[in-house]
Amino acid sequence: MHEVALAQRIVEIVQEQAGRLRFEGVKRVFLRLGAFAHVEPEALTFGFAAAARGTIAQGATLEIERAPGTGFCAGCGGDVVVTSRFSDCPVCGFAPLRIAGGDEFRVTELEVA
């Protein structure tokens, strides 16, 4: 379950920022998670709670924003939302698409105490 390792990295990021910006507590951690990131949000949330124990992030809530998969279609020139890396263009049927988004895994904001 790689979600535990990812959760540990999120806690490390929080601790690094706390050292750099000198805050003493964290209420919420905001994360942008792409549709193609291959991460199970529930497992990540569980892993985050466990990884945060005994750290500055203990008790913080992990707020996950889901980002859709997106692609560019050379056939119709459109930017489209897709559900798979191997989807045809939902507008014109052209394939293959150039995947442009959906791989995100990024801490975007911290609400600190």
Side-chain angles (χ1 to χ4, degrees):
M1 180 189 288
H2 72 287
E3 283 84 354
V4 172
L6 294 171
Q8 290 170 331
R9 182 61 188 133
I10 293 168
V11 171
E12 290 171 3
I13 290 168
V14 170
Q15 292 176 311
E16 290 166 4
Q17 292 302 308
R20 192 171 73 91
L21 300 173
R22 308 214 190 284
F23 54 83
E24 297 182 10
V26 179
K27 294 180 183 178
R28 294 193 296 173
V29 177
F30 295 86
L31 180 75
R32 183 167 171 85
L33 180 62
F36 303 143
H38 304 292
V39 176
E40 178 59 43
E42 292 80 19
L44 183 63
T45 300
F46 179 80
F48 175 76
R53 281 191 210 114
T55 74
I56 193 170
Q58 182 169 332
T61 303
L62 185 62
E63 301 283 343
I64 299 175
E65 172 195 1
R66 298 300 306 257
T70 60
F72 172 76
C73 176
C76 66
D79 293 315
V80 295
V81 174
V82 292
T83 57
S84 164
R85 290 184 175 279
F86 307 105
S87 295
D88 295 344
C89 177
V91 176
C92 73
F94 182 85
L97 299 174
R98 187 180 80 226
I99 298 301
D103 292 323
E104 299 90 343
F105 185 89
R106 181 174 44 246
V107 173
T108 59
E109 185 178 345
L110 299 174
E111 182 179 323
V112 300

